[in-house]
Amino acid sequence: MKKKKIIYIILIILCMLTIFAFSNKNSIKSDKTSKGLIYNILNTYEKVTNKNINKEKIVKKLNYPVRKIAHYTIYFLLGLFVYKLILLTNWKYKKRITIGICFLYASLDEIHQLFIAGRTGQVKDVFIDTLGAVSAITLIHFLSKEQKEKGVIK
């Protein structure tokens, strides 16, 4: 049990450090990172399909959604790790505590971005981040409920 707690704590710290590292990039570097990811995927697509595509147009359309999906995904992972850690405790209100921790970290992250050149703190990003965490909690809840019904876990 203690070994699992340590592993989850390490994963939570790594997740938080990753969020901080991405948030600490100025707007030009941040934009370049997301666009670079899209270009790499499109280059791979061109190589695999032997088709030329208008990458500029596609990158322009996909950049915003990719950035928001990144928010959702990293906070999904954070929510997953925090919730799994809290499930190992005898605390009450495990889901609320997990959501609170993730919401607080998302809020602090957006405040942090106010001090980075060209970045802004956005309330909608806090909601996207929190939705990612809530989705992880919901997934774990339904998976463990299903396993209990099948008798896999008690």
PDB file of all heavy atoms in Angstrom, residues 71-87:
ATOM      1  N   HIS A  71      -4.870  20.608 -22.604  1.00  0.00           N
ATOM      2  CA  HIS A  71      -5.321  20.984 -21.256  1.00  0.00           C
ATOM      3  C   HIS A  71      -6.120  19.839 -20.639  1.00  0.00           C
ATOM      4  O   HIS A  71      -5.848  19.398 -19.527  1.00  0.00           O
ATOM      5  CB  HIS A  71      -6.238  22.220 -21.313  1.00  0.00           C
ATOM      6  CG  HIS A  71      -5.521  23.515 -21.207  1.00  0.00           C
ATOM      7  ND1 HIS A  71      -5.329  24.151 -20.011  1.00  0.00           N
ATOM      8  CD2 HIS A  71      -4.965  24.307 -22.154  1.00  0.00           C
ATOM      9  CE1 HIS A  71      -4.679  25.284 -20.231  1.00  0.00           C
ATOM     10  NE2 HIS A  71      -4.448  25.401 -21.519  1.00  0.00           N
ATOM     11  N   TYR A  72      -7.123  19.394 -21.372  1.00  0.00           N
ATOM     12  CA  TYR A  72      -8.016  18.341 -20.889  1.00  0.00           C
ATOM     13  C   TYR A  72      -7.217  17.079 -20.539  1.00  0.00           C
ATOM     14  O   TYR A  72      -7.401  16.483 -19.480  1.00  0.00           O
ATOM     15  CB  TYR A  72      -9.073  18.041 -21.959  1.00  0.00           C
ATOM     16  CG  TYR A  72      -9.984  16.896 -21.607  1.00  0.00           C
ATOM     17  CD1 TYR A  72     -11.149  17.116 -20.899  1.00  0.00           C
ATOM     18  CD2 TYR A  72      -9.675  15.597 -21.997  1.00  0.00           C
ATOM     19  CE1 TYR A  72     -11.998  16.063 -20.577  1.00  0.00           C
ATOM     20  CE2 TYR A  72     -10.506  14.543 -21.680  1.00  0.00           C
ATOM     21  CZ  TYR A  72     -11.671  14.782 -20.967  1.00  0.00           C
ATOM     22  OH  TYR A  72     -12.495  13.733 -20.645  1.00  0.00           O
ATOM     23  N   THR A  73      -6.322  16.688 -21.416  1.00  0.00           N
ATOM     24  CA  THR A  73      -5.591  15.427 -21.266  1.00  0.00           C
ATOM     25  C   THR A  73      -4.651  15.443 -20.062  1.00  0.00           C
ATOM     26  O   THR A  73      -4.627  14.480 -19.285  1.00  0.00           O
ATOM     27  CB  THR A  73      -4.794  15.123 -22.554  1.00  0.00           C
ATOM     28  OG1 THR A  73      -5.712  15.094 -23.650  1.00  0.00           O
ATOM     29  CG2 THR A  73      -4.070  13.796 -22.454  1.00  0.00           C
ATOM     30  N   ILE A  74      -3.890  16.503 -19.894  1.00  0.00           N
ATOM     31  CA  ILE A  74      -2.936  16.520 -18.782  1.00  0.00           C
ATOM     32  C   ILE A  74      -3.668  16.569 -17.443  1.00  0.00           C
ATOM     33  O   ILE A  74      -3.239  15.960 -16.456  1.00  0.00           O
ATOM     34  CB  ILE A  74      -1.892  17.665 -18.927  1.00  0.00           C
ATOM     35  CG1 ILE A  74      -0.733  17.480 -17.952  1.00  0.00           C
ATOM     36  CG2 ILE A  74      -2.530  19.021 -18.742  1.00  0.00           C
ATOM     37  CD1 ILE A  74       0.184  16.334 -18.250  1.00  0.00           C
ATOM     38  N   TYR A  75      -4.804  17.248 -17.404  1.00  0.00           N
ATOM     39  CA  TYR A  75      -5.575  17.280 -16.162  1.00  0.00           C
ATOM     40  C   TYR A  75      -6.381  15.996 -15.959  1.00  0.00           C
ATOM     41  O   TYR A  75      -6.706  15.648 -14.829  1.00  0.00           O
ATOM     42  CB  TYR A  75      -6.453  18.530 -16.081  1.00  0.00           C
ATOM     43  CG  TYR A  75      -5.643  19.700 -15.578  1.00  0.00           C
ATOM     44  CD1 TYR A  75      -4.953  20.529 -16.451  1.00  0.00           C
ATOM     45  CD2 TYR A  75      -5.530  19.952 -14.217  1.00  0.00           C
ATOM     46  CE1 TYR A  75      -4.182  21.584 -15.986  1.00  0.00           C
ATOM     47  CE2 TYR A  75      -4.759  21.005 -13.743  1.00  0.00           C
ATOM     48  CZ  TYR A  75      -4.088  21.814 -14.632  1.00  0.00           C
ATOM     49  OH  TYR A  75      -3.322  22.843 -14.162  1.00  0.00           O
ATOM     50  N   PHE A  76      -6.684  15.296 -17.038  1.00  0.00           N
ATOM     51  CA  PHE A  76      -7.263  13.951 -16.908  1.00  0.00           C
ATOM     52  C   PHE A  76      -6.255  13.075 -16.164  1.00  0.00           C
ATOM     53  O   PHE A  76      -6.611  12.365 -15.220  1.00  0.00           O
ATOM     54  CB  PHE A  76      -7.575  13.371 -18.292  1.00  0.00           C
ATOM     55  CG  PHE A  76      -8.173  11.987 -18.261  1.00  0.00           C
ATOM     56  CD1 PHE A  76      -9.547  11.821 -18.281  1.00  0.00           C
ATOM     57  CD2 PHE A  76      -7.363  10.862 -18.217  1.00  0.00           C
ATOM     58  CE1 PHE A  76     -10.107  10.544 -18.250  1.00  0.00           C
ATOM     59  CE2 PHE A  76      -7.907   9.594 -18.183  1.00  0.00           C
ATOM     60  CZ  PHE A  76      -9.288   9.428 -18.198  1.00  0.00           C
ATOM     61  N   LEU A  77      -5.002  13.142 -16.591  1.00  0.00           N
ATOM     62  CA  LEU A  77      -3.951  12.356 -15.928  1.00  0.00           C
ATOM     63  C   LEU A  77      -3.752  12.795 -14.479  1.00  0.00           C
ATOM     64  O   LEU A  77      -3.638  11.952 -13.581  1.00  0.00           O
ATOM     65  CB  LEU A  77      -2.636  12.468 -16.707  1.00  0.00           C
ATOM     66  CG  LEU A  77      -2.616  11.801 -18.072  1.00  0.00           C
ATOM     67  CD1 LEU A  77      -1.321  12.133 -18.802  1.00  0.00           C
ATOM     68  CD2 LEU A  77      -2.793  10.297 -17.946  1.00  0.00           C
ATOM     69  N   LEU A  78      -3.721  14.099 -14.254  1.00  0.00           N
ATOM     70  CA  LEU A  78      -3.569  14.593 -12.885  1.00  0.00           C
ATOM     71  C   LEU A  78      -4.728  14.110 -12.019  1.00  0.00           C
ATOM     72  O   LEU A  78      -4.521  13.615 -10.902  1.00  0.00           O
ATOM     73  CB  LEU A  78      -3.475  16.118 -12.861  1.00  0.00           C
ATOM     74  CG  LEU A  78      -3.287  16.743 -11.473  1.00  0.00           C
ATOM     75  CD1 LEU A  78      -1.971  16.285 -10.842  1.00  0.00           C
ATOM     76  CD2 LEU A  78      -3.347  18.264 -11.562  1.00  0.00           C
ATOM     77  N   GLY A  79      -5.947  14.233 -12.520  1.00  0.00           N
ATOM     78  CA  GLY A  79      -7.119  13.769 -11.782  1.00  0.00           C
ATOM     79  C   GLY A  79      -7.058  12.280 -11.500  1.00  0.00           C
ATOM     80  O   GLY A  79      -7.385  11.826 -10.394  1.00  0.00           O
ATOM     81  N   LEU A  80      -6.615  11.516 -12.477  1.00  0.00           N
ATOM     82  CA  LEU A  80      -6.470  10.066 -12.316  1.00  0.00           C
ATOM     83  C   LEU A  80      -5.499   9.740 -11.186  1.00  0.00           C
ATOM     84  O   LEU A  80      -5.817   8.965 -10.280  1.00  0.00           O
ATOM     85  CB  LEU A  80      -5.975   9.458 -13.636  1.00  0.00           C
ATOM     86  CG  LEU A  80      -5.694   7.975 -13.633  1.00  0.00           C
ATOM     87  CD1 LEU A  80      -6.962   7.210 -13.958  1.00  0.00           C
ATOM     88  CD2 LEU A  80      -4.616   7.653 -14.643  1.00  0.00           C
ATOM     89  N   PHE A  81      -4.327  10.357 -11.212  1.00  0.00           N
ATOM     90  CA  PHE A  81      -3.300  10.061 -10.208  1.00  0.00           C
ATOM     91  C   PHE A  81      -3.712  10.539  -8.814  1.00  0.00           C
ATOM     92  O   PHE A  81      -3.510   9.826  -7.827  1.00  0.00           O
ATOM     93  CB  PHE A  81      -1.951  10.674 -10.604  1.00  0.00           C
ATOM     94  CG  PHE A  81      -1.426  10.201 -11.933  1.00  0.00           C
ATOM     95  CD1 PHE A  81      -0.727  11.066 -12.772  1.00  0.00           C
ATOM     96  CD2 PHE A  81      -1.621   8.900 -12.363  1.00  0.00           C
ATOM     97  CE1 PHE A  81      -0.239  10.634 -13.994  1.00  0.00           C
ATOM     98  CE2 PHE A  81      -1.132   8.456 -13.593  1.00  0.00           C
ATOM     99  CZ  PHE A  81      -0.445   9.328 -14.403  1.00  0.00           C
ATOM    100  N   VAL A  82      -4.298  11.727  -8.735  1.00  0.00           N
ATOM    101  CA  VAL A  82      -4.729  12.251  -7.430  1.00  0.00           C
ATOM    102  C   VAL A  82      -5.835  11.367  -6.860  1.00  0.00           C
ATOM    103  O   VAL A  82      -5.803  10.997  -5.681  1.00  0.00           O
ATOM    104  CB  VAL A  82      -5.191  13.728  -7.541  1.00  0.00           C
ATOM    105  CG1 VAL A  82      -5.854  14.195  -6.250  1.00  0.00           C
ATOM    106  CG2 VAL A  82      -4.022  14.639  -7.892  1.00  0.00           C
ATOM    107  N   TYR A  83      -6.800  11.011  -7.693  1.00  0.00           N
ATOM    108  CA  TYR A  83      -7.914  10.196  -7.212  1.00  0.00           C
ATOM    109  C   TYR A  83      -7.444   8.808  -6.773  1.00  0.00           C
ATOM    110  O   TYR A  83      -7.864   8.307  -5.727  1.00  0.00           O
ATOM    111  CB  TYR A  83      -8.994  10.092  -8.288  1.00  0.00           C
ATOM    112  CG  TYR A  83     -10.274   9.467  -7.810  1.00  0.00           C
ATOM    113  CD1 TYR A  83     -10.942   9.951  -6.681  1.00  0.00           C
ATOM    114  CD2 TYR A  83     -10.855   8.400  -8.486  1.00  0.00           C
ATOM    115  CE1 TYR A  83     -12.128   9.393  -6.244  1.00  0.00           C
ATOM    116  CE2 TYR A  83     -12.046   7.838  -8.056  1.00  0.00           C
ATOM    117  CZ  TYR A  83     -12.670   8.337  -6.938  1.00  0.00           C
ATOM    118  OH  TYR A  83     -13.845   7.773  -6.493  1.00  0.00           O
ATOM    119  N   LYS A  84      -6.568   8.205  -7.547  1.00  0.00           N
ATOM    120  CA  LYS A  84      -6.039   6.886  -7.174  1.00  0.00           C
ATOM    121  C   LYS A  84      -5.282   6.968  -5.844  1.00  0.00           C
ATOM    122  O   LYS A  84      -5.370   6.054  -5.015  1.00  0.00           O
ATOM    123  CB  LYS A  84      -5.136   6.315  -8.279  1.00  0.00           C
ATOM    124  CG  LYS A  84      -5.864   5.962  -9.563  1.00  0.00           C
ATOM    125  CD  LYS A  84      -6.866   4.848  -9.382  1.00  0.00           C
ATOM    126  CE  LYS A  84      -6.181   3.507  -9.442  1.00  0.00           C
ATOM    127  NZ  LYS A  84      -7.089   2.370  -9.366  1.00  0.00           N
ATOM    128  N   LEU A  85      -4.561   8.046  -5.614  1.00  0.00           N
ATOM    129  CA  LEU A  85      -3.871   8.234  -4.340  1.00  0.00           C
ATOM    130  C   LEU A  85      -4.882   8.390  -3.205  1.00  0.00           C
ATOM    131  O   LEU A  85      -4.762   7.743  -2.161  1.00  0.00           O
ATOM    132  CB  LEU A  85      -2.950   9.463  -4.399  1.00  0.00           C
ATOM    133  CG  LEU A  85      -2.273   9.854  -3.079  1.00  0.00           C
ATOM    134  CD1 LEU A  85      -1.293   8.767  -2.643  1.00  0.00           C
ATOM    135  CD2 LEU A  85      -1.584  11.198  -3.210  1.00  0.00           C
ATOM    136  N   ILE A  86      -5.861   9.224  -3.415  1.00  0.00           N
ATOM    137  CA  ILE A  86      -6.848   9.488  -2.361  1.00  0.00           C
ATOM    138  C   ILE A  86      -7.696   8.254  -2.069  1.00  0.00           C
ATOM    139  O   ILE A  86      -8.120   8.042  -0.934  1.00  0.00           O
ATOM    140  CB  ILE A  86      -7.685  10.736  -2.721  1.00  0.00           C
ATOM    141  CG1 ILE A  86      -6.781  11.961  -2.615  1.00  0.00           C
ATOM    142  CG2 ILE A  86      -8.892  10.883  -1.810  1.00  0.00           C
ATOM    143  CD1 ILE A  86      -7.395  13.261  -3.015  1.00  0.00           C
ATOM    144  N   LEU A  87      -7.901   7.403  -3.065  1.00  0.00           N
ATOM    145  CA  LEU A  87      -8.636   6.157  -2.831  1.00  0.00           C
ATOM    146  C   LEU A  87      -7.901   5.249  -1.835  1.00  0.00           C
ATOM    147  O   LEU A  87      -8.520   4.383  -1.205  1.00  0.00           O
ATOM    148  CB  LEU A  87      -8.872   5.403  -4.145  1.00  0.00           C
ATOM    149  CG  LEU A  87      -9.967   5.955  -5.055  1.00  0.00           C
ATOM    150  CD1 LEU A  87      -9.987   5.187  -6.378  1.00  0.00           C
ATOM    151  CD2 LEU A  87     -11.330   5.897  -4.384  1.00  0.00           C
TER     152      LEU A  87
END
